[in-house]
Amino acid sequence: MASLLGGAVGPVPALTGGQLIDRLEAANLLGRGGAGFPVGRKWRAVAERGQGRAVVLANGAEGEPLSAKDRTLMAARPHLVIDGAVLAADAVGAPDIIFYVGAAHHAAEAAVRQALGQRSNQLKQRVRVVPAPAGYVTGEESSAVHFINGGDARPTTTPPRPFERGVDGRPTLVQNVETLAMAALIARGDVGKTGLVTVSGSIRNPGVKEIDFESTLGDVATAAGGLARAPQAVLLGGYFGGWAPIDEVWALPIEPQSLRARGLTFACGVVHFLAEDACGVEATARIMAYLASQSARQCGPCVFGLSAIGECLRRLAARSPQVSDLDRLTTWSGQLEGRGACKHPDGAAGLLRSALGVFADDFEAHQQRRCLRRQPARPAMVQPLAAVA
């Protein structure tokens, strides 16, 4: 049986664009890049505007430090990703296809280029591969469009949106590469109920796994070889996701809509287990320092707000806080969202709020210059994972 990471898939069936979009909607396929937007609806919106001049942008930038799924997929199954991009292009009326691949993901880019070299000359004339610059925000869809149009990979929430006017001013479907690969499987009759996760932290066999969405978080841990150390919390969805106490989510299905109903997110498929002897304050401080360093530098909330939060967290993590640092963090976590020129401050604020809740006792202790963990050394979880080639 075919899957995202293995198995024979056979030829692509002959489907009209409308038939394929209907299948995607029936399968309730959600985007796998982070936002989880309904794929069929997105394709239909571009198709209605395309008029034979749309663009498909296959997004494999993958700037999330804890994710390796997209580069793994492109390296292992480039033809499946290409199939999905071609199906999308045909469905929305796009003569041109762009593969936007993280410049540091060398194995993924080489595999995509080699696979394209095996395709027809007609397809080769429609396709180009664009290396995406390194950075957390460069894979956001408007960032990708801006980079291709003018070499400036900065996001914005200001209309028009890419599906309205994107690459070269044309309606543009920006779709994550895993989403496109799954669309190619659904076109062949798959029901679309599996997904890729990058598992890390206190686990025996970290890396990219394909899981059934009916699996629980405990099943995900088992698929990754079981726990190496008992965890206290899990980071779901990466740096724009959130922390959750392990005992509250261990038996929950990983299915994105089930998580969303509980105020959690699957997002880009990151599952990181934080060991019980690791410090959640220090882990969060390192994440927020990274997010502050990745500011798009377009507005005060991002440039100054994230910097202030990062500095405040640095002091707390070092157990040398100012008197009101914890109170400041609590206030700022509720003020930042919705005030930026893009969604970067929003994601950072959401992560911070989750940390203040899950690690409340740890934050209180650090405000009093103590750490509740026996081994308060900084955990390795916020260091970028090595690409899985």
Side-chain angles (χ1 to χ4, degrees):
M1 180 178 176
S3 69
L4 286 166
L5 293 180
V9 294
V12 179
L15 294 172
T16 66
Q19 288 172 330
L20 178 53
I21 292 173
D22 287 343
R23 285 196 183 187
L24 298 178
E25 291 179 333
N28 195 27
L29 179 63
L30 304 179
R32 305 287 175 83
F37 193 82
V39 174
R41 191 192 310 172
K42 192 172 188 178
W43 288 29
R44 200 176 293 282
V46 177
E48 289 171 352
R49 294 166 172 79
Q51 298 181 337
R53 57 186 295 272
V55 177
V56 167
L57 198 162
N59 192 350
E62 195 168 47
E64 161 66 48
L66 285 176
S67 179
K69 72 178 182 68
D70 291 340
R71 71 198 76 171
T72 298
L73 175 64
M74 288 184 286
R77 302 278 272 179
H79 281 289
L80 192 62
V81 175
I82 293 170
D83 284 349
V86 172
L87 285 166
D90 291 345
V92 304
D96 298 313
I97 301 170
I98 300 169
F99 289 91
Y100 185 64
V101 183
H105 308 333
H106 304 300
E109 182 180 347
V112 169
R113 289 186 184 276
Q114 181 179 21
L116 287 170
Q118 298 167 1
R119 296 297 184 111
S120 69
N121 288 330
Q122 182 181 17
L123 177 59
K124 292 175 190 175
Q125 293 171 2
R126 300 173 61 189
V127 174
R128 58 177 162 143
V129 178
V130 176
Y136 191 78
V137 301
T138 62
E140 193 274 337
E141 65 173 13
S142 64
S143 289
V145 168
H146 292 165
F147 180 75
I148 291 166
N149 282 341
D152 182 12
R154 289 193 292 176
T156 179
T157 56
T158 303
R161 291 162 291 181
F163 81 91
E164 297 167 314
R165 188 164 76 238
V167 173
D168 297 331
R170 297 148 63 188
T172 300
L173 174 67
V174 184
Q175 201 76 82
N176 170 263
V177 292
E178 183 192 344
T179 312
L180 293 171
M182 182 52 73
L185 291 179
I186 290 173
R188 293 172 165 97
D190 194 285
V191 294
K193 299 303 181 183
T194 66
L196 300 181
V197 295
T198 311
V199 191
S200 60
S202 58
I203 208 77
R204 296 187 185 279
N205 184 23
V208 177
K209 317 295 177 185
E210 184 170 3
I211 54 100
D212 190 300
F213 281 138
E214 294 182 357
S215 303
T216 65
L217 193 65
D219 295 330
V220 173
T222 299
L227 296 170
R229 289 182 293 167
Q232 59 171 305
V234 62
L235 180 63
L236 294 171
Y239 288 10
F240 268 24
W243 293 103
I246 195 68
D247 56 349
E248 293 184 11
V249 296
W250 184 256
L252 290 183
I254 204 74
E255 198 276 323
Q257 290 180 311
S258 295
L259 291 177
R260 186 177 297 172
R262 293 171 171 83
L264 304 170
T265 181
F266 184 75
C268 61
V270 163
V271 177
H272 177 85
F273 294 96
L274 185 70
E276 62 182 358
D277 58 353
C279 178
V281 176
E282 293 182 355
T284 303
R286 296 179 69 189
I287 293 174
M288 292 301 295
Y290 173 80
L291 292 177
S293 77
Q294 296 297 299
S295 166
R297 307 196 68 80
Q298 298 182 113
C299 65
C302 197
V303 175
F304 303 112
L306 293 189
S307 177
I309 287 172
E311 182 60 22
C312 192
L313 276 166
R314 184 197 64 77
R315 292 192 298 266
L316 277 165
R319 285 167 279 167
S320 58
Q322 296 178 1
V323 174
S324 300
D325 272 350
L326 184 52
D327 290 337
R328 288 191 188 102
L329 283 180
T330 302
T331 299
W332 291 339
S333 71
Q335 291 180 340
L336 199 61
E337 191 167 353
R339 298 180 62 191
C342 71
K343 296 295 184 181
H344 190 63
D346 295 15
L351 186 283
L352 176 59
R353 284 196 302 273
S354 73
L356 290 170
V358 173
F359 306 120
D361 292 343
D362 299 88
F363 273 98
E364 288 286 354
H366 275 251
Q367 182 64 52
Q368 298 169 23
R369 302 176 183 265
R370 298 184 295 110
C371 183
L372 300 180
R373 305 297 157 179
R374 292 183 181 180
Q375 298 179 12
R378 292 177 178 174
M381 57 78 60
V382 293
Q383 299 299 327
L385 294 178
V388 181

